[in-house]
Amino acid sequence: MENIYKTCLSRGVPCGTNSKKIYENYAEQFGWDTSQGSQFGKQGQPLYARSATSEGYSVWCIAHSNLNGTKGGRWSNEISYDKKTIKEFWETRTYDYLHDFSDTTTRVVFVKNKKNEYEFLGVYERVSLSEEQKTVEWFGTYGYLKTYRWVSDYYPFKAD
């Protein structure tokens, strides 16, 4: 994907340590839904804003993953070595607005690294979800997986 914008997010750029401040900053800069800022910044918040961008993408801050060696609550995430795939583990499937296993929105993704900073990871689209529970070795229990595929290193971007 090509970056045609003067102001954009680029993969790997550090964005800060507080997901709420990150969301509010980029919401103002890119015109995201500012009313969803309350979903970021505190432990226990979903760190997710559904369909928040002008393109209808969701914004997702991943606090727990193999990149920083932490697991969170009832789900966790594994990001491939080349950062082209994200596997999101769910202990149980839920279907409320912010924790919807069947959600298909494309996501603008930030991930917490080993320095405890969020960095922009890229834009990802969901490509699969498991219908049946399976053992997820890297989480150590049974659950369901959603898989996302990399789309762009930039936000916003022009699709080819």
Side-chain angles (χ1 to χ4, degrees), residues 19-142:
S19 61
K20 182 178 180 81
K21 289 179 183 177
I22 293 166
Y23 183 83
E24 289 174 342
N25 177 45
Y26 293 122
E28 182 179 318
Q29 190 170 345
F30 295 116
W32 299 347
D33 180 358
T34 57
S35 70
Q36 295 194 60
S38 62
Q39 293 154 197
F40 297 86
K42 292 188 264 179
Q43 187 173 1
Q45 297 295 94
L47 307 182
Y48 179 74
R50 190 174 200 171
S51 301
T53 74
S54 58
E55 302 89 353
Y57 302 159
S58 297
V59 177
W60 184 22
C61 288
I62 301 174
H64 303 287
S65 75
N66 59 309
L67 294 185
N68 61 21
T70 64
K71 296 179 184 178
R74 298 168 55 189
W75 51 79
S76 191
N77 305 282
E78 183 177 71
I79 299 166
S80 65
Y81 179 77
D82 63 3
K83 299 181 181 173
K84 300 286 184 180
T85 305
I86 301 171
K87 291 182 181 178
E88 182 183 22
F89 169 79
W90 294 53
E91 277 188 19
T92 58
R93 293 183 291 188
T94 57
Y95 299 97
D96 64 70
Y97 186 71
L98 294 174
H99 302 96
D100 184 355
F101 184 74
S102 63
D103 177 14
T104 62
T105 57
T106 296
R107 297 179 176 197
V108 176
V109 179
F110 299 85
V111 65
K112 194 175 273 191
N113 60 29
K114 287 184 179 185
K115 296 178 184 175
N116 205 35
E117 293 179 318
Y118 284 99
E119 62 183 61
F120 179 66
L121 192 62
V123 180
Y124 291 77
E125 64 184 359
R126 191 201 69 170
V127 292
S128 69
L129 61 125
S130 59
E131 292 298 324
E132 298 188 21
Q133 278 190 323
K134 56 176 96 173
T135 301
V136 179
E137 190 174 305
W138 49 269
F139 195 74
T141 190
Y142 289 98

